[in-house]
Amino acid sequence: MTAREAGLVACRRCARVWPMGTERCARCGSHLQSRDTGSLSRVWALWIAGVICYIPANIYPMLITQTLLSTSNSTIVGGAVELIHHGSIGVALIILAASVLIPMGKFLAIAYLAISVRRGSDVSAARRHHLYEVVEFIGRWSMIDVFVVAILSSLVQLSVVASIHPGSAALTFALSVIFTMLSAQAFDTRLFWDTKDQGQNQRNDTT
Amino acid sequence: MSAATTDQATLAPGGALGGMPLDSLMACPQCDALYVAEMPAVGERAICARCHTVLIAPKRKAGFKIIALTLAVIILVVAALFFPFLTISAAGFGNNASILDSASSFQSGPMVFLSLAVAGMIVVIPLIRTLLILYVLIPIVGDRPPYAHAKRAFRLTQELKPWAMAEIFAIGCAVALVKVADLAHIGFGPAFWMFAVLVIIVLINDNYLCTWSVWKSLELDQREA
Ligand SMILES: [Zn+2]
Ligand SMILES: [Zn+2]
């Protein structure tokens, strides 16, 4: 049985339940909504912002490296390819996973989850909820590339020998990660379970 | 700690709840499943039978542990800010950077936003969260009424949690090290090791905090006051 079926509204912050129609949780002060109906439009708006920022993040340079002999601009993918040439395949894979695989996977996963809530899905609610948790857990790790740029540009300042400066992709990439994190957070995960429960009453914990 | 056994033992599904007082119930924040809230034994956890979210995870003397850990974090953060974090040398030139240097490396125009975001995620937010947790827990552990605005403070610590990224920054250091390995020699300064300890402490800190128990104590204190 769910709180809504019992005529109660649950607080998502502190798990306290209140009679349906209560506006604010008296225990923690959070705003109460049995289901966050505006959730999906916020998810989509932030998702679009994230995708838009991700495009320039891949076109413009992430790092500008100046040495005695040359100046080189490297993009996210370019930087990883360079690492492979230097033999650091493990680190190249970390960068590619954090900066390409995870962001793309997140965009696809969030879009799929948002569509599944509106249209319904054959995939069980438990499965989709699990996918959501993976997205939430892994998403933050995309910031690693931004931190690497920050560390390198503060550290590698060796006069004419070598210096590293951040490229504009660092900004748009960080924005893309932030928007995507906000998009995932905007989800009301209770919506997965509602579509599953509609019509039949097959949950083992409903009495 | 298997989910099935623990939650059957401690959380009766809220099927027959005629006349149950509302404050003895709880709903899973992730899937809305309703339960009768009962404290599991120390070391066990109450887990939602439907979506497997951890609902209650009481810890023995959790309060004291948390406060000890928190004090350690504050000392470490202060130390980490004033010592060199990473050092570099190549062809006779050398440089070192503190954690704050890294955060403030984006300086031209709109990149300043990035400096603020990075400084926030690796230093400011972890520090604020820790201080707020301390503020909320000290009275609870001492069995005294909570300080003013303790609820708002605790809510803020939960809202800020995903934005505290000290552990990601630590892994970023390792990646940075490899990236410039053939350009220059990089060494770890004392602050790096402090920061590594800090990351471990922050992770333990969060795992030792049962948010439901804290909310429960904040509510009880309010009623008695
Ligand atoms: Zn609440
Ligand atoms: Zn649940």
Side-chain angles (χ1 to χ4, degrees), chain A residues 3 16 35 140 155 189 197, chain B residues 30 32 34 50 95 164 219:
Chain A
R16 182 82 153 83
R35 294 296 178 272
R140 309 159 63 238
L155 190 62
T189 49
D197 283 346
Chain B
Q30 298 297 318
D32 212 31
L34 190 62
R50 193 152 81 145
N95 187 22
E219 183 179 44

Side-chain angles (χ1 to χ4, degrees), chain A residues 129, chain B residues 28-33 35 48-53 55:
Chain A
H129 196 152
Chain B
C28 172
Q30 298 297 318
C31 76
D32 212 31
Y35 296 101
C48 176
R50 193 152 81 145
C51 74
H52 305 295
T53 299
L55 299 173

Side-chain angles (χ1 to χ4, degrees), chain A residues 86-104:
Chain A
H86 289 302
S88 314
I89 293 169
V91 178
L93 290 180
I94 292 179
I95 294 284
L96 280 179
S99 313
V100 181
L101 214 63
I102 292 177
M104 297 292 255

Side-chain angles (χ1 to χ4, degrees), chain A residues 134-148:
Chain A
V134 171
V135 166
E136 271 250 280
F137 179 80
I138 281 183
R140 309 159 63 238
W141 284 89
S142 297
M143 280 305 275
I144 196 169
D145 220 13
V146 177
F147 293 153
V148 170

